[in-house]
Amino acid sequence: MASTDFGRTVRRWRDRVAPEAAGLPSGGHRRAPGLRREELAMLAGISVDYVTRLEQGRAENPSEQVVEALGRALRVSPAEREHLFHTAGLVPPGRGTVPAYIAPSVHRMLDRLTGTPVAVSDASWTLLLTNPLYTALMGERHGRDRNGAWRAFLGPGGRVRHTPESRRALEAAVTADLRTAASRYPADRRLRQLIADLRANSARFAELWDSGAVGHHEASRKTIDHPQVGPLTLDCDVLTVAGTDLRIMIYTAEPDTEDAERLELLAVLGPQPFTADPHPREPGPMERTSPSKSPTALATRRAPGESPTRPAGR
């Protein structure tokens, strides 16, 4: 049975992931090597109960998003990712869909940038992975607000200050990014749905989309109004991983400045506590739902049934 094979595979591979490799403390008594079940659930952004049911073969038909999130949390290789999909009775996402696989090298990079806010998004600006300092800087991204395009046009106001000019430039750049992604990944139904929802709910997006507006992201300085440490003015750079269209967003402070001191303080304070939704589901176009968080918080697109959370805004 596919669900039984899938659960056994997850359980076996959970034992081989060292807690410290996932940015978790390794101290204390552990009955088995590797990640605890609740740690895997936290990293993947799904409930502990669902992980338990999956491992015991009591939950059938895990969604593509759940399998993808578990694979990232377990740091699988490309061949292992393909095997994980097959054991779940699914066909691995292929060409024509937005890549969501994060290579071990990208994981290692985030592990080493503990003093720098870093986030990884896919080609549709859906947030896949953040480190703790990014979460502490920007706060939690909830539901569809975890998508940068959705946030730019329909989300609530975030912590980043914008002038009318910077807002217009962001909107044009995001629209251009989605147009490029739609052309490059024509088989991605979630991307098509995102674009359709934005056109239906945002007159500004519809205007930009229909006009063929173009734009591009540039290195910039942003001021983030943080509720605890105050305003931080940081340099923001976006790097692209060759061959995957993954975007790595990195925020840095100029050395020996008040901004650098505030960033160091934020690293000590860390992300604020939260309570994970034990029964995540597909949000409606205007809903807001609550994701899980972790030392390397994972965010994944939602689908009907038990699913992790995944995007958003910059």
Side-chain angles (χ1 to χ4, degrees), residues 270-295:
Q272 293 302 295
F274 79 104
T275 301
D277 179 3
H279 303 292
R281 61 180 178 85
E282 175 76 15
M286 304 302 291
E287 289 186 59
R288 300 292 181 267
T289 53
S290 297
S292 181
K293 178 191 73 174
S294 75

Side-chain angles (χ1 to χ4, degrees), residues 127-186:
L127 194 65
L128 300 179
L129 183 67
T130 69
N131 67 358
L133 192 49
Y134 181 92
T135 303
L137 177 67
M138 294 299 187
E140 291 292 334
R141 304 300 197 194
H142 295 172
R144 296 197 77 167
D145 289 335
R146 300 185 70 84
N147 179 274
W150 185 269
R151 258 183 85 79
F153 291 97
L154 294 169
R159 295 177 180 177
V160 178
R161 293 183 191 176
H162 278 292
T163 64
E165 293 77 13
S166 69
R167 170 63 64 183
R168 287 193 294 269
L170 173 63
E171 291 170 344
V174 166
T175 303
D177 284 346
L178 290 189
R179 183 178 290 109
T180 299
S183 174
R184 190 168 296 171
Y185 306 106

Side-chain angles (χ1 to χ4, degrees), residues 174-252:
V174 166
T175 303
D177 284 346
L178 290 189
R179 183 178 290 109
T180 299
S183 174
R184 190 168 296 171
Y185 306 106
D188 197 299
R189 59 182 178 83
R190 294 179 191 85
L191 176 58
R192 293 199 304 270
Q193 187 63 54
L194 170 64
I195 293 170
D197 289 344
L198 286 171
R199 294 188 70 185
N201 292 289
S202 170
R204 173 61 174 161
F205 178 83
E207 175 191 1
L208 289 170
W209 184 267
D210 294 338
S211 69
V214 297
H216 61 278
H217 294 277
E218 298 179 344
S220 62
R221 288 178 67 81
K222 296 184 180 181
T223 298
I224 297 94
D225 290 312
H226 194 275
Q228 290 178 286
V229 304
L232 302 92
T233 298
L234 306 174
D235 291 313
C236 176
D237 293 277
V238 180
L239 312 179
T240 301
V241 180
T244 67
D245 281 338
L246 294 180
R247 284 82 181 264
I248 302 176
M249 182 171 288
I250 303 176
Y251 285 88
T252 56

Side-chain angles (χ1 to χ4, degrees), residues 68 72 81 93-94 96-102 121-123 128 185 188 243-246 301 310:
E68 195 76 78
R72 284 196 296 269
R81 172 179 176 269
T97 60
V98 174
Y101 174 70
I102 299 178
S121 298
D122 67 12
L128 300 179
Y185 306 106
D188 197 299
T244 67
D245 281 338
L246 294 180
R301 294 187 180 114
R310 298 180 57 166

